[in-house]
Amino acid sequence: MGWEEKQVRGYGEFAETAQRCHGRPIFALFCGDKDAMGRSWCPDCVTAEPIVRKELHNMPDGSVFIYCLVGDRAYWKDPNNEFRKNLKLTGVPTLLKYGTPQKLVEEECFKAELVRMLFTED
Amino acid sequence: QEAAKYDKKVMVLDFVTPTPLGTSWGLGGTCVNVGCIPKKLMHQAALLGQALQDARKFGWQFTEEVKHNWMTMTEAVQNYIGSLNWGYRVALREKKVTYENAYGEFVGPHTVKATNKRGIEKLYTAKRFLIATGERPRYLGIPGDKEYCISSDDLFSLPYCPGKTLVVGASYVALECAGFLAGLGLDVTVMVRSILLRGFDQDIANKIGEYMEEHGISFIKQFVPIKVEQIEEGTPGRLKVTAQSTVGNEIIEGEYNTVLLAIGRDACTRKIGLDKVGVKINEKTGKIPVNDEEQTNVPYIYAVGDVLQDKLELTPVAIQAGRLLVRRLYGGATSKCDYVNVPTTVFTPLEYGACGYSEERAVEEFGEENIEVYHSYFWPLEWTVPSRDNNKCYAKIICNIKDNERVIGFHVLGPNAGEVTQGFAAAIRCGITKEQLDDTIGIHPVCAEV
């Protein structure tokens, strides 16, 4: 059956998508917005994304991978933004298993081993 | 993690055998999952309940009655524990420590067999082994105990409010649990076979018991349960407990929603194949005797933590012993773990912090005429306005007259006892005398100035 990817932008779209996929394992990668040339304002996100994508095949069957752009730099820096408030995100990139305390933050996302562990652990 | 720092190849085998009721948990051991961490959080929940009552006297106005939701608290606690379990997984990976969620047992010299939860077995060999398997709660061995009673292993993740609870036991586990359950508004009874807090200063143990009784916890003293039956299934259900007196023939019965057993913990040493490698254990208690370098009678097998014979069962002690052991083995260090003057705290409703000798032990070791005890009751300033008890908080120090009145025992009964005790433990380690203590100017207004 494999896995599928959903791309969303902003908290509203993320929450709606996560709810629609309720019951399936949901993994989410949060990154800063990309400009017209496809580069993110967040340099760590640029580094992490290919590493995470290489490990996606390790996710359990039926998983949903939500790739979420959080917003521009100013929005992210606001301490009251919805991602900080509702998902308790502290930095980008963040890779997490939705509904569990399991997550990898910033440089932790650069380590293929840890990413693999997040996708395959129970 | 310490051994990995020295570039050693390290593997951790951690496996939780589920409780009779099926409860299990993640990486981190007892403290993180079913001990200190959830205990302190639930104790805090109970303290906050008390604080809400006090708040009205300080001018806060809220008209609704305040109620407690067990599920909200438990989910929050378990979520935090989950983040700790995950944090350890990440830490081990980052330090290149191999982790297997599998049950380890020795099958021959330098060899262990690891069985995971699907029953798959693997064999591993190593140059050295460290046993840190800890303990699990003991059951009574009476009809109905495993089917209907819960232990601390189950309590912190119980998916329903325990309701009217009977706590069996008088250990600090029993009293701490009884304390916070009552603080959350539940009807709690404690059934005690003989004395409270065996091994602790009895003068203080009695004060703790009195305080709990005066604050709504019933005690049934000198009885032991002989039978537990189910009247009605449910979450929680209804249980009937029959108990017999230890000083006569009297039999009593009581009905409760939950029976929590906290009568002691047994070392997990009987089913890990120690006989196959010749590690001696104390047959009666299951504990492992070690020398002062944490080495068992088999030179390549070491042990730390609650499994050790005659050592304090405390998380920080085990951690320290483990770290120092590795530094001695691979870092050329020589320092050994110091098991003396280790501070502890019991988080009963009235908290108790201690470091050093109890009064009884001091008398036994030095003789009554050679020790001097200084003590005082105190009334925390924060308790005055809400009219809370003015004669319950208490502090005492025990001094060795022959050694310059050196402080050899410190005991405090009152709020934040743990925080207060930590500093004094450092002072005792430096050999503080009564005179030096007197010369130290107090911070005012805090409890610690007494």
Side-chain angles (χ1 to χ4, degrees):
Chain A
M1 200 196 147
W3 53 271
E4 66 176 292
E5 173 167 346
K6 299 204 187 285
Q7 301 205 343
V8 300
R9 207 182 158 272
Y11 183 76
E13 271 180 43
F14 172 77
E16 208 198 297
T17 309
Q19 208 192 37
R20 261 188 287 125
C21 300
H22 183 65
R24 300 160 67 182
I26 300 173
F27 297 91
L29 178 63
F30 299 91
C31 294
D33 275 6
K34 293 180 166 171
D35 61 19
M37 255 103 66
R39 277 195 85 88
S40 174
W41 54 259
C42 162
D44 286 349
C45 301
V46 173
T47 314
E49 193 179 330
I51 299 174
V52 170
R53 288 194 172 281
K54 244 173 106 186
E55 300 296 326
L56 288 178
H57 65 275
N58 286 309
M59 291 191 300
D61 271 352
S63 292
V64 178
F65 173 66
I66 303 181
Y67 178 76
C68 177
L69 294 178
V70 299
D72 62 23
R73 192 191 207 111
Y75 169 79
W76 180 251
K77 291 294 184 194
D78 173 11
N80 288 323
N81 78 52
E82 286 152 307
F83 290 99
R84 289 189 201 269
K85 268 185 30 208
N86 302 329
L87 287 175
K88 310 275 189 289
L89 294 198
T90 52
V92 279
T94 291
L95 176 67
L96 56 76
K97 184 169 179 180
Y98 190 66
T100 76
Q102 298 181 350
K103 64 178 181 177
L104 296 172
V105 179
E106 291 160 4
E107 308 89 53
E108 290 175 340
C109 299
F110 299 168
K111 303 188 175 136
E113 278 227 333
L114 292 183
V115 174
R116 206 175 309 140
M117 188 169 85
L118 182 77
F119 287 151
T120 56
E121 274 327 303
D122 23 61
Chain B
Q1 289 183 57
E2 191 77 21
K5 272 193 217 159
Y6 295 100
D7 289 326
K8 296 290 155 191
K9 247 179 93 180
V10 189
M11 165 179 271
V12 170
L13 292 176
D14 181 60
F15 190 81
V16 178
T17 307
T19 71
L21 297 172
T23 315
S24 182
W25 51 86
L27 181 61
T30 296
C31 176
V32 167
N33 292 287
V34 288
C36 334
I37 303 282
K39 175 266 295 283
K40 183 94 191 290
L41 290 173
M42 294 197 177
H43 171 69
Q44 176 66 4
L47 289 179
L48 288 171
Q50 174 73 67
L52 286 170
Q53 301 303 323
D54 291 352
R56 288 200 167 99
K57 299 264 178 61
F58 277 96
W60 288 100
Q61 296 177 328
F62 40 100
T63 49
E64 311 109 47
E65 198 197 303
V66 171
K67 289 194 301 234
H68 184 260
N69 182 315
W70 174 267
M71 290 312 305
T72 307
M73 172 184 73
T74 310
E75 272 174 31
V77 170
Q78 287 302 318
N79 215 45
Y80 176 63
I81 292 174
S83 73
L84 291 178
N85 297 143
W86 174 250
Y88 292 128
R89 303 292 312 283
V90 171
L92 288 185
R93 256 301 160 75
E94 294 210 288
K95 301 206 167 77
K96 310 263 190 287
V97 173
T98 313
Y99 160 69
E100 288 259 342
N101 183 217
Y103 188 89
E105 51 192 312
F106 286 100
V107 289
H110 290 274
T111 314
V112 289
K113 174 174 78 171
T115 311
N116 72 9
K117 66 179 174 212
R118 289 183 194 88
I120 305 191
E121 297 175 359
K122 287 196 210 164
L123 288 180
Y124 296 103
T125 58
K127 189 160 163 209
R128 292 196 173 99
F129 294 83
L130 178 62
I131 300 171
T133 47
E135 304 177 304
R136 294 295 291 270
R138 190 180 302 151
Y139 279 78
L140 282 167
I142 60 170
D145 65 352
K146 293 212 169 95
E147 299 93 303
Y148 307 122
C149 300
I150 65 169
S151 73
S152 58
D153 280 357
D154 307 293
L155 180 65
F156 300 109
S157 54
L158 205 61
Y160 53 85
C161 180
K164 178 175 173 191
T165 304
L166 174 70
V167 178
V168 183
S171 56
Y172 75 82
V173 174
L175 298 186
E176 285 178 342
C177 291
F180 74 71
L181 289 174
L184 298 176
L186 303 179
D187 177 343
V188 178
T189 305
V190 181
M191 185 175 285
V192 174
R193 186 188 58 184
S194 63
I195 61 170
L196 298 181
L197 295 174
R198 186 179 302 276
F200 287 82
D201 187 296
Q202 283 299 292
D203 168 36
I204 307 255
N206 289 326
K207 291 191 198 304
I208 292 177
E210 267 170 35
Y211 183 87
M212 288 171 71
E213 266 181 295
E214 283 167 23
H215 288 263
I217 298 172
S218 316
F219 279 78
I220 299 178
K221 297 192 180 153
Q222 299 186 305
F223 272 86
V224 287
I226 52 174
K227 195 168 45 163
V228 178
E229 296 161 286
Q230 186 179 65
I231 305 174
E232 195 186 309
E233 248 187 87
T235 53
R238 282 163 54 217
L239 302 172
K240 178 166 118 181
V241 178
T242 310
Q244 168 150 58
S245 167
T246 57
V247 290
N249 290 324
E250 196 189 339
I251 303 259
I252 56 171
E253 286 178 354
E255 190 186 308
Y256 304 93
N257 294 124
T258 299
V259 176
L260 171 66
L261 298 181
I263 54 170
R265 294 173 67 78
D266 290 322
C268 298
T269 51
R270 312 253 186 212
K271 296 195 191 148
I272 55 174
L274 291 182
D275 51 325
K276 301 240 170 50
V277 282
V279 172
K280 272 207 198 67
I281 64 172
N282 178 320
E283 277 310 319
K284 185 160 162 275
T285 62
K287 300 224 176 181
I288 306 179
V290 291
N291 62 18
D292 62 0
E293 300 198 329
E294 286 81 30
Q295 196 178 33
T296 67
N297 61 309
V298 177
Y300 65 90
I301 302 181
Y302 299 81
V304 288
D306 292 0
V307 285
L308 296 190
Q309 180 162 282
D310 297 327
K311 298 283 195 292
L312 291 159
E313 292 171 20
L314 296 167
T315 302
V317 173
I319 294 177
Q320 177 84 320
R323 284 210 182 112
L324 292 180
L325 170 66
V326 170
R327 283 182 209 159
R328 289 195 304 270
L329 288 177
Y330 304 118
T334 51
S335 46
K336 303 186 193 176
C337 188
D338 184 354
Y339 293 96
V340 169
N341 289 332
V342 175
T344 69
T345 297
V346 180
F347 294 95
T348 34
L350 191 57
E351 293 178 12
Y352 167 40
C355 182
Y357 285 87
S358 66
E359 204 171 321
E360 300 88 18
R361 282 270 299 120
V363 164
E364 209 187 291
E365 180 102 1
F366 299 96
E368 199 170 338
E369 60 294 352
N370 291 322
I371 63 161
E372 189 73 53
V373 178
Y374 297 90
H375 67 148
S376 169
Y377 284 93
F378 61 92
W379 198 21
L381 184 61
E382 295 85 349
W383 286 23
T384 56
V385 167
S387 306
R388 287 174 64 186
D389 301 299
N390 65 351
N391 62 346
K392 289 291 183 289
C393 295
Y394 180 74
K396 79 176 169 187
I397 56 167
I398 301 168
C399 304
N400 183 352
I401 302 179
K402 286 207 164 145
D403 182 18
N404 249 340
E405 277 214 304
R406 199 161 310 277
V407 178
I408 57 170
F410 169 85
H411 304 263
V412 68
L413 191 58
N416 304 120
E419 307 293 355
V420 173
T421 306
Q422 186 71 85
F424 286 96
I428 291 182
R429 177 162 291 281
C430 297
I432 198 166
T433 62
K434 173 72 165 58
E435 196 183 338
Q436 289 171 315
L437 204 53
D438 287 343
D439 284 346
T440 310
I441 300 184
I443 304 174
H444 181 78
V446 295
C447 295
E449 65 180 307
V450 75

